[in-house]
Amino acid sequence: MTQRILFVCLGNICRSPSAEGVVKRKAAQRGVNLDLDSAGTGAYHVGEPPYAAMQSAAISRGYDLSNLRARQVTRTDFAAFDLLVAMDADNLAHLERIRPQGGAEVVLFTDYAPDCGTDAVPDPYYTRDFDGTLDLIERCAEGLLDALEAAPR
Ligand code: 4NP
C-alpha cells in the first residue's frame, strides 16, 4: 500500500514544502512509493510558491520546489492522508485542535531523528538559516524513511 504523508508547518512556504521535496527525492532513491503533499496551518501564503530563499537553498542540493503551491491544512486531510508530520509543537497543537474523530496519525518530524538535539524544525523565515533547516530536514527524512521501511503498512 502506498503511504500518504502530509507535511505541515505554519506558512507552507519554507519548512513543509522542503520536507516534501527532500522526502520525495530520498524515497525515489530508495524505491519507496509514497504520496506526498504539504500544507500550512495558516492561510497567509495560500497559492504562493515556496519562499525564494528557501527554493535557492533547496535547488543547490538538487531539490526543485518550484512547482509547489501553498495551501491551508483542512479537516479532510485527516482522511486523505495516513500520516500528518508537523514541523513544531505549534503545528502539532493546531492539528490536534482541528482533528475530526479518528483519521491520520499526527507526529513531529524531529521524532524521526532522536539524536538531532531539538524537538522542532526551526523556521528559517525567521532564523534565516535555510541551510541549517535543510540539514535537519534531511536527517529527519532519512529517519522517516527508515521507519517506513522497517514497518511498512
Ligand atoms: P514556514 O515559514 O511555516 O516554514 O512556511 C513561515 C513563512 C511565513 C510565515 C510564517 C511561517 N508568515 O507568517 O508569513
Side-chain angles (χ1 to χ4, degrees):
M1 182 185 129
T2 301
Q3 178 90 304
R4 303 164 301 171
I5 302 175
L6 181 69
F7 297 96
V8 179
C9 63
L10 173 58
N12 193 209
I13 58 168
C14 289
R15 294 166 294 170
S16 61
S18 297
E20 179 184 349
V22 169
V23 172
K24 181 180 174 188
R25 200 184 75 198
K26 290 185 179 295
Q29 286 168 344
R30 293 186 188 214
V32 174
N33 248 323
L34 299 175
D35 275 347
L36 303 175
D37 195 6
S38 62
T41 58
Y44 317 103
H45 297 282
V46 168
E48 295 178 18
Y51 193 56
M54 190 76 253
Q55 284 202 55
S56 300
I59 199 72
S60 69
R61 299 183 186 204
Y63 307 112
D64 183 358
L65 309 181
S66 62
N67 287 328
L68 302 179
R69 294 294 178 269
R71 72 172 180 89
Q72 191 171 24
V73 69
T74 70
R75 287 163 58 85
T76 59
D77 286 317
F78 286 83
F81 293 90
D82 304 302
L83 186 64
L84 271 52
V85 181
M87 297 297 124
D88 64 33
D90 287 343
N91 310 148
L92 189 84
H94 177 99
L95 294 173
E96 293 297 356
R97 211 159 45 237
I98 67 164
R99 167 198 275 290
Q101 289 269 311
E105 189 186 347
V106 178
V107 295
L108 275 176
F109 201 23
T110 50
D111 286 349
Y112 295 105
D115 299 334
C116 69
T118 177
D119 58 2
V121 179
D123 193 339
Y125 192 75
Y126 301 108
T127 68
R128 314 309 292 175
D129 184 9
F130 296 94
D131 271 308
T133 291
L134 280 173
D135 288 343
L136 180 57
I137 285 173
E138 286 178 329
R139 287 181 66 174
C140 296
E142 296 288 358
L144 169 62
L145 290 165
D146 288 346
L148 293 176
E149 288 196 291
R153 298 199 173 201

